[in-house]
Amino acid sequence: MRQTRSEILGRALRTAVRNPGRTLLTMLGLAIGVGAFLAMVSFGTGARASVMEQFELLGTRVVYIWTNMNRRDFGGSARPLTDFDVEALKREAMTVERVVPRITEVQNVRSAQTTFPTKVTGTMPGFVDIREWPLLVGGMFDDTDVQQRAKVAVIGTTVAQALFGRRDPVGETITIGSNLPCRIIGVLTSKGQQTTGEDMDEIVLIPATTYEAFLGMPIGYHELMLQVRNIRLLETGMVEAVPIMRRSHRLSENDPDDFRIASPAQAAQVARFVSTILTGLLMGIAAVSLLVGGIGVMNIQLVSVAERTKEIGIRSAIGASPRQILVQFLAEAVVLSFTGSMVGVALGWVASSLVARAMAWSGNLSVLTIAGAAAFGTSVGVAFGYLPARRAAQLEPIEALRHE
Amino acid sequence: MSGFPIVDAGGICKEFPNMSAPVLDGVSLTVDSGEIVALRGPSGSGKSTLLNILGCLDGPTYGTYRLGGRDVSTLTPRERAWVRLHYIGFVFQSFHLIPDHTVLENVTLPLYYMGVGRQEREARAIELIDRVGLSHRLKHRPAQLSGGERQRVAIARSIAGEPRLLLADEPTGALDTRTGNEVMSLLKEIHEARSLTLIIVTHDPEVAAFCHRQIFLRDGKIVDGEYRHAANA
């Protein structure tokens, strides 16, 4: 006849409850280990998701070209980005579906009530498509508006709030700069803040032609946005765009590029790679702390076996077999490790929720991660509990009995 | 009541690695079933070592030991544990109760290791605790009991597995005279009720007077093993 598993575990639990000091000490290391592990995983994945979100705000299929006009090292030799470049890219780049130029400068924007200095962007209707940025109300200006240099504007929610409060801004007129009155025809959905603190919703869009005619465009566009046909063509798109731009700017073979080209999605891949390494590193550190927690279990259990030598002697004298004593101490390790891991799960969960709230990340601890950490913590504890349990089982009954 | 030998030891020697002289030097001894035997002798005479070997806590270096007709001198630790569990009960001078266990839990322990189900072992333990007069102390811890009460609990535990051989090592050594006498009477009652064989290590002539027979040890040898009936046997 054998003792049932629930009976063995029940006794182990009872021992744990009756010796709270020893129990807490044993669990502490594992709890902290498991908690740290979960917290690290949560921070890692949260940070990564947040980085990815930031890049997605800039469009997932976009290649950016910037002018070097404002850079000193080009000594003014750089050519501006113009409609001529836009047309060349549209005509020649096979991978590119859409080319949208943009100029942005801070201007005073006035409503009847108030003035709000904000970023005003002259661009094309494709801007909202390329940035994957739907409108909340109203519509985007169209090609006709561009041709006619129409005095129309689409604004972000922050601007709408600042100028019109809770009122519907569509149909209202704002004055941009000294004397460009524009009728508001649409409001963009909110994109919130970037990690840099930049408010994405602080934006006013007007047709590029209107911008050029009324606000002036002395050094051309600031930026060209190229949307490739699909995300796998990002690299090809960048390779393809460079010679087109060089020809368009009539650069000779030895001239350096007078523009810069990059893609946030590509940067995102680098960021993803870096954050994967970082997450791995954090998890490695956390795994070490778990291991240390396991060693803690072993130490306390070893002390406990030494402290309970007499008890082991008594049990042995009564007739407990070495195996029964081994099982008893293993069961105690199981109970302590499992409980400790559960406390660790709670700690990790609380820590990651707090950080997630502070950083405005979404909760990201999967059930699988939690279960995995708990299982790992328990196994580590039990594995390290084996040595002390075996030591207890191998004690000589007479020696153990004599122990004080 | 008595009859075949339950303990039959021949030429038992026990040597320890760090000692020059053997602790037991050719001890031969038979104890019949139902006997009460006192084991006496000065400290260092080898009484406790002999008791450990008779109790299967340890094996002899040389010699044979048959317990109830079965050779137990060359068992593995695991087999010795089995023999202790099923054949032998111990009563110690310092009680050796498990401090974080209640009276009830201490007494059920041998039955737990035998694999007796919870309900049955608790019922049997309660009966035994009642037998030693401590049914009002079931949920107490050893620290909450007096010395005499603790020894009664230890006695209840020692017979819970219904052993055939009960070994007591100075059972009254930590008790005052009156309590000691009570404990001895209890042992005697139990002996009679259960036809146990009882071997008691003692210094105390009063305790020895309870016994059918006294065996004297000196320097690892039996110097006097005269058989006599106790006056009140």
Side-chain angles (χ1 to χ4, degrees), chain B residues 80-162:
Chain B
R80 275 208 292 272
W82 191 90
V83 171
R84 287 198 296 275
L85 185 60
H86 292 88
Y87 285 90
I88 297 166
F90 288 98
V91 178
F92 300 97
Q93 178 174 6
S94 49
F95 325 124
H96 286 349
L97 299 174
I98 294 179
D100 70 1
H101 280 34
T102 63
V103 166
L104 181 60
E105 286 161 357
N106 265 291
V107 176
T108 51
L109 212 51
L111 299 170
Y112 169 73
Y113 286 124
M114 288 167 117
V116 175
R118 187 195 175 98
Q119 286 193 343
E120 191 192 336
R121 69 173 185 252
E122 288 193 351
R124 278 162 68 176
I126 287 169
E127 200 184 309
L128 286 167
I129 293 164
D130 189 36
R131 175 77 192 75
V132 300
L134 289 173
S135 33
H136 58 299
R137 294 269 196 256
L138 283 182
K139 300 286 177 195
H140 285 61
R141 303 282 171 85
Q144 298 168 299
L145 304 178
S146 71
E149 287 174 323
R150 286 186 219 180
Q151 196 60 300
R152 288 157 182 267
V153 175
I155 290 170
R157 183 182 64 187
S158 72
I159 56 172
E162 294 180 0

Side-chain angles (χ1 to χ4, degrees), chain A residues 98-177:
Chain A
R98 195 179 264 130
V99 181
V100 174
R102 178 175 79 86
I103 176 168
T104 301
E105 271 166 340
V106 173
Q107 306 275 355
N108 276 327
V109 178
R110 276 177 288 139
S111 68
Q113 289 77 25
T114 183
T115 302
F116 186 62
T118 189
K119 283 167 283 183
V120 175
T121 295
T123 187
M124 296 294 173
F127 181 91
V128 290
D129 303 303
I130 216 164
R131 295 287 295 272
E132 297 160 32
W133 201 341
L135 276 87
L136 193 62
V137 286
M140 184 64 178
F141 48 79
D142 56 19
D143 290 335
T144 318
D145 292 323
V146 174
Q147 276 168 19
Q148 296 177 345
R149 297 172 186 167
K151 294 174 178 175
V152 291
V154 170
I155 61 177
T157 50
T158 303
V159 178
Q161 177 89 39
L163 293 178
F164 301 100
R166 293 173 157 273
R167 269 192 302 137
D168 179 6
V170 174
E172 300 284 340
T173 300
I174 51 174
T175 307
I176 299 170

Side-chain angles (χ1 to χ4, degrees), chain A residues 1 3 7-8 11 14-15 18-19 310-311 314-322 324 328 397-398 401, chain B residues 52 57-58 78 81 84-85 90 92 96-98 100-101 105 109-110 112-115 121 141 157:
Chain A
M1 282 203 279
Q3 289 75 34
E7 179 146 48
I8 290 167
R11 281 176 170 247
R14 199 175 63 195
T15 303
R18 286 182 185 175
N19 300 277
K310 182 128 181 202
E311 176 193 329
I314 296 168
R315 289 174 182 276
S316 181
I318 286 171
S321 69
Q324 283 170 324
Q328 178 197 337
I398 319 166
L401 266 181
Chain B
N52 288 340
L57 282 168
D58 203 357
R78 192 181 143 194
R84 287 198 296 275
L85 185 60
F90 288 98
F92 300 97
H96 286 349
L97 299 174
I98 294 179
D100 70 1
H101 280 34
E105 286 161 357
L109 212 51
Y112 169 73
Y113 286 124
M114 288 167 117
R121 69 173 185 252
R141 303 282 171 85
R157 183 182 64 187

